[in-house]
Amino acid sequence: MSWAMEIETPTYTDLVVIGAGPAGLMAACWAARYHVNVRILDDKPERVLTGHADGLTCRTLEIFDSFGIAHEVCSEASVDVQMRYWRPNGVGGLERFQSLISQKPGVSRFQQCLLSQGRIEELLERVCAEGGVLVERNMETLELGPIEEDESCKYPIEVKIRRKVNPGTPSEQEPAVDANDSIDDHGIKVIRCKYLIGADGAHSWTRRQLGIAATGASTDECWGVIDLVPLTNFPDIRQSCVISSLHGNIHVVPRERQLVRLYIQLESATPGERLDRSKITAEMLISTTKKILHPYTFEYASIDWFTVYQVGQRIADKFSAAERVFLVGDAVHTHSPKIGQGMNVSLQDAYNLSWKICSVIKGILKSSSLASYETERRPVAEELIDVDRETVSFYCSRGAIDRGGLQEFRNKHYRFLSGVAVDYSGSEMISPKHVSLPRFDDEPSTEACESLVEERFSHICLGQRLPSYRVVKHANAEPTSVGSLLSSNGRWKLLIFTGDLRVEAQAVRFNNVSKAISATSCSIRQRSALDMGCQASVDIFAIMACPRDSVPLLSLPEIYHPWNESTGWEYDTVYTDEPDVYGVCEDAYGRYGIDRTRGCLVLCRPDQHVAYCGELEHTAGLELFCSRIFMETRSECD
């Protein structure tokens, strides 16, 4: 389409994000942390206020914690602890026949919970604002131009936008326009950018502009969803439960503010036809609920929101175009809301992608790293579709719950649904699992060592997120979680598990690795605070397997407590795996499967996934991995 009277000089920015839902805001949060120039555009006048997604997995809460908002989410949310199951009792009523815990112990330090999408968006928008990134609302996207193929073009993407006019909205309340925008006489603005992220939902404008198809189909299964304040004598109304009756199925999901969400099975659509949602009313959903819950009574005090959907699963044929324009969330995969994964997987798409784009923009990573987005996230999307299809089939079958197999079904998919099993191994952004390792005097031959690399650190999985256990800060004995060290500040994290430094041989090994990392030629040092100060892209932490009083902090090499003329020594980088002052010890070494007499090196990406793991002596392997993905620093170029 051609737009009249275009301005020749457009606005330039590093990144454009289209869509200010959870995925778009997560992408913008990373941009704010990296301090890249970003514009996030949304066609709606305000954020979501009611309804939509609400389930939050423990992995999503870990991500929120890395941005500093998990405590607010958890304090306001409805915690999901137990799932209960109901079936017909054979005499016209219902009976509770099974109760299962919602989240297995030890999976995460966070418990899965439920909180409205609107509140999540509000918190993410605040993170963006703290970094100077504001959402531009009421912005209509008009045209996405062809991506320039000339490598010398720094801003190869052009997008045309226009502010929507809201009748009755005072002009002073309309979204602000960037003062540098090029605007023609029709109010059309032209933006050129280096990268663009389409987070604009299932009917993605970005995907359509790129001509990318979404492959899949809709089923005949139809469900209603309603948020309300119930008035009922059903005993489990404030607990997650599944009710299978002769009249259909209901999923009960307790929400914040006394709200309850009901997923209500409706009559199937006519095969091959789309459901006419306009014919389904809230009162029809209430009527169906009363039939399913009989003989329990059911009324309501108020209705907050409702919708109707026809189950379908689709996945985009491609996740990006020329590794310049990317799709995340519902723009690239759609499924039913029954498994509570929509917001979670969408957030995690953006969490995986945006730090890579920002790192390329800032000159930290090579641009080839962007290919890893589809490599890493497509398998997740494909498994999501498969799990959703199987779940819908299981729960929609009349009497399926009554036939048993619930525990087996939940166990089969539990780790995926919790979000903690996502595995990026095989990506170029993850070190290979099998590498040739040098031989030590107390070990078998080199050939045998190659097969032992995964056994040495048995509970640290390359490609997966690093679990969090409690440790003690050396400087002040403060109990701290390893997860809190992995904040989303845009930096890689090198965790040096020193082993027991009271053992002379281990102290020698630790000093040797410290010298190697402290060398001016070491790529880790060149990217650390020692050389880069506040511009560092790598944080270094030491976690000792000996009491804090046995090794004075300032006796350690300077790389573990760098000096700053304004603030003095750094005291937040050395920790110990020992009981805290309350006698609590989670045995981080043991739970990671790390030998306390040998220690190891663990390199985590900015998104908390383990990229490299090796013996303390294996700094050469670490250097090799870094050389594959990092751009050269100035000192490397000199």
Side-chain angles (χ1 to χ4, degrees):
M1 183 179 295
S2 175
W3 300 96
M5 301 182 67
E6 294 177 10
I7 296 296
E8 294 182 0
T9 306
T11 300
Y12 293 89
T13 191
D14 291 327
L15 174 65
V16 169
V17 179
I18 298 177
L25 288 168
M26 176 57 69
C29 284
W30 269 128
R33 289 293 170 92
Y34 275 88
H35 304 291
V36 304
N37 295 320
V38 60
R39 294 183 66 176
I40 176 168
L41 314 172
D42 196 84
D43 63 352
K44 301 178 184 63
E46 57 188 357
R47 74 174 71 92
V48 166
L49 299 179
T50 58
H52 299 273
D54 58 0
L56 299 169
T57 66
C58 57
R59 176 57 187 150
T60 296
L61 293 171
E62 291 174 355
I63 293 171
F64 286 168
D65 182 60
S66 74
F67 283 103
I69 61 173
H71 63 289
E72 290 180 80
V73 172
C74 294
S75 67
E76 299 176 23
S78 174
V79 179
D80 183 17
V81 177
Q82 185 185 59
M83 177 76 79
R84 286 184 157 177
Y85 296 87
W86 291 70
R87 65 186 177 189
N89 62 5
V91 291
L94 297 169
E95 65 177 6
R96 183 194 303 124
F97 74 98
Q98 194 166 11
S99 298
L100 300 174
I101 59 173
S102 297
Q103 179 175 309
K104 295 181 179 180
V107 170
S108 172
R109 67 192 194 280
F110 292 101
Q111 178 70 35
Q112 64 189 46
C113 60
L114 302 107
L115 187 63
S116 69
Q117 177 176 323
R119 179 57 174 151
I120 297 302
E121 290 181 6
E122 183 179 10
L123 292 170
L124 291 173
E125 197 167 336
R126 189 184 72 195
V127 173
C128 292
E130 289 170 351
V133 177
L134 302 178
V135 177
E136 300 175 56
R137 299 194 180 277
N138 264 357
M139 303 306 294
E140 179 184 10
T141 47
L142 301 174
E143 183 178 0
L144 179 61
I147 301 171
E148 295 281 353
E149 296 182 359
D150 186 351
E151 293 184 0
S152 65
C153 181
K154 294 183 178 180
Y155 299 89
I157 303 164
E158 181 177 278
V159 60
K160 295 182 176 69
I161 63 173
R162 175 173 56 194
R163 184 197 301 173
K164 288 183 175 180
V165 177
N166 280 347
T169 301
S171 59
E172 64 268 21
Q173 294 182 9
E174 292 183 3
V177 178
D178 190 305
N180 296 315
D181 275 335
S182 300
I183 307 176
D184 70 11
D185 290 347
H186 294 75
I188 298 170
K189 293 173 280 186
V190 181
I191 305 172
R192 293 198 71 93
C193 58
K194 297 176 181 177
Y195 297 95
L196 185 145
I197 297 175
D200 45 351
H203 304 289
S204 171
W205 173 88
T206 309
R207 189 183 67 236
R208 296 197 308 272
Q209 288 284 300
L210 295 173
I212 295 176
T215 303
S218 296
T219 71
D220 301 329
E221 293 292 340
C222 300
W223 288 73
V225 187
I226 188 166
D227 291 341
L228 46 70
V229 176
L231 304 174
T232 178
N233 61 352
F234 180 67
D236 286 343
I237 197 63
R238 289 304 304 173
Q239 186 160 344
S240 295
C241 60
V242 177
I243 305 153
S244 178
S245 83
L246 299 176
H247 301 285
N249 298 326
I250 283 183
H251 293 196
V252 177
V253 181
R255 294 276 305 277
E256 73 281 3
R257 298 186 293 110
Q258 295 298 110
L259 289 169
V260 169
R261 171 165 292 186
L262 303 178
Y263 290 91
I264 307 158
Q265 186 177 13
L266 305 176
E267 292 296 326
S268 298
T270 303
E273 294 186 6
R274 294 290 298 168
L275 172 70
D276 185 353
R277 298 195 297 177
S278 65
K279 294 182 179 180
I280 307 296
T281 66
E283 288 303 325
M284 292 171 66
L285 299 182
I286 298 298
S287 176
T288 302
T289 299
K290 290 180 177 180
K291 291 179 182 178
I292 294 174
L293 287 181
H294 181 79
Y296 295 102
T297 61
F298 187 88
E299 300 294 340
Y300 63 91
S302 60
I303 294 176
D304 204 48
W305 173 84
F306 82 96
T307 190
V308 180
Y309 69 89
Q310 188 169 356
V311 175
Q313 296 97 5
R314 291 179 174 81
I315 186 168
D317 294 344
K318 296 194 300 181
F319 283 32
S320 70
E323 291 170 8
R324 286 284 183 175
V325 180
F326 297 84
L327 302 172
V328 297
D330 288 352
V332 77
H333 47 70
T334 58
H335 54 94
S336 81
K338 289 189 62 59
I339 57 175
Q341 291 295 302
M343 179 162 57
N344 295 283
V345 177
S346 295
L347 282 163
Q348 291 163 31
D349 283 346
Y351 190 64
N352 174 283
L353 170 66
S354 191
W355 71 267
K356 297 172 183 174
I357 291 177
C358 294
S359 295
V360 171
I361 291 171
K362 300 293 282 188
I364 299 169
L365 290 180
K366 297 177 180 178
S367 59
S368 59
S369 64
L370 298 179
S372 67
Y373 169 61
E374 182 161 355
T375 301
E376 294 176 356
R377 293 305 295 177
R378 176 174 284 279
V380 177
E382 291 172 344
E383 185 170 1
L384 172 68
I385 298 300
D386 290 342
V387 172
D388 182 60
R389 187 178 291 116
E390 189 173 343
T391 301
V392 169
S393 176
F394 183 83
Y395 282 111
C396 286
S397 299
R398 306 273 177 171
I401 296 174
D402 192 23
R403 289 195 295 271
L406 274 172
Q407 187 69 64
E408 293 78 7
F409 182 82
R410 284 169 57 85
N411 287 343
K412 179 180 179 181
H413 300 301
Y414 173 73
R415 282 186 57 80
F416 174 79
L417 294 176
S418 69
V420 302
V422 173
D423 189 342
Y424 298 148
S425 58
S427 163
E428 70 172 49
M429 297 293 288
I430 304 294
S431 177
K433 289 186 176 181
H434 295 280
V435 295
S436 295
L437 305 176
R439 179 183 176 184
F440 303 113
D441 293 339
D442 58 346
E443 291 188 331
S445 65
T446 302
E447 291 76 12
C449 285
E450 185 167 340
S451 65
L452 289 174
V453 65
E454 291 179 281
E455 299 174 10
R456 290 179 181 156
F457 325 109
S458 55
H459 299 153
I460 297 178
C461 300
L462 280 169
Q464 294 188 23
R465 117 291 190 204
L466 185 71
S468 179
Y469 303 114
R470 201 172 192 178
V471 291
V472 174
K473 186 185 291 188
H474 191 300
N476 64 357
E478 176 188 356
T480 307
S481 67
V482 172
S484 69
L485 309 183
L486 309 181
S487 63
S488 292
N489 60 0
R491 298 181 182 182
W492 293 65
K493 311 295 191 301
L494 178 62
L495 306 181
I496 301 177
F497 289 85
T498 71
D500 190 344
L501 298 183
R502 295 171 298 181
V503 179
E504 183 177 355
Q506 184 62 16
V508 170
R509 295 179 70 230
F510 171 68
N511 287 332
N512 288 339
V513 70
S514 300
K515 288 178 182 178
I517 293 174
S518 299
T520 56
S521 60
C522 176
S523 60
I524 293 294
R525 181 207 164 108
Q526 291 167 354
R527 293 165 175 82
S528 73
L530 273 179
D531 281 11
M532 299 295 290
C534 63
Q535 300 299 316
S537 55
V538 177
D539 286 331
I540 301 173
F541 297 96
I543 301 177
M544 304 191 303
C546 51
R548 52 193 287 267
D549 290 338
S550 64
V551 180
L553 190 151
L554 295 183
S555 70
L556 299 174
E558 185 182 358
I559 197 168
Y560 305 108
H561 49 84
W563 173 261
N564 182 288
E565 291 292 341
S566 301
T567 59
W569 299 113
E570 173 63 64
Y571 289 103
D572 296 332
T573 56
V574 181
Y575 297 82
T576 65
D577 181 21
E578 63 175 314
D580 61 24
V581 295
Y582 308 105
V584 177
C585 181
E586 292 193 354
D587 184 21
Y589 270 72
R591 298 181 75 170
Y592 286 132
I594 300 172
D595 188 337
R596 298 181 75 90
T597 66
R598 298 196 65 87
C600 72
L601 301 172
V602 177
L603 180 66
C604 289
R605 311 189 316 184
D607 63 357
Q608 304 180 337
H609 283 252
V610 178
Y612 179 89
C613 188
E615 294 276 1
L616 293 183
E617 288 82 0
H618 295 165
T619 54
L622 180 61
E623 281 287 315
L624 179 62
F625 172 71
C626 291
S627 69
R628 288 194 356 239
I629 61 171
F630 286 123
M631 293 288 287
E632 291 184 343
T633 62
R634 288 193 182 94
S635 57
E636 289 174 316
C637 297
D638 292 342

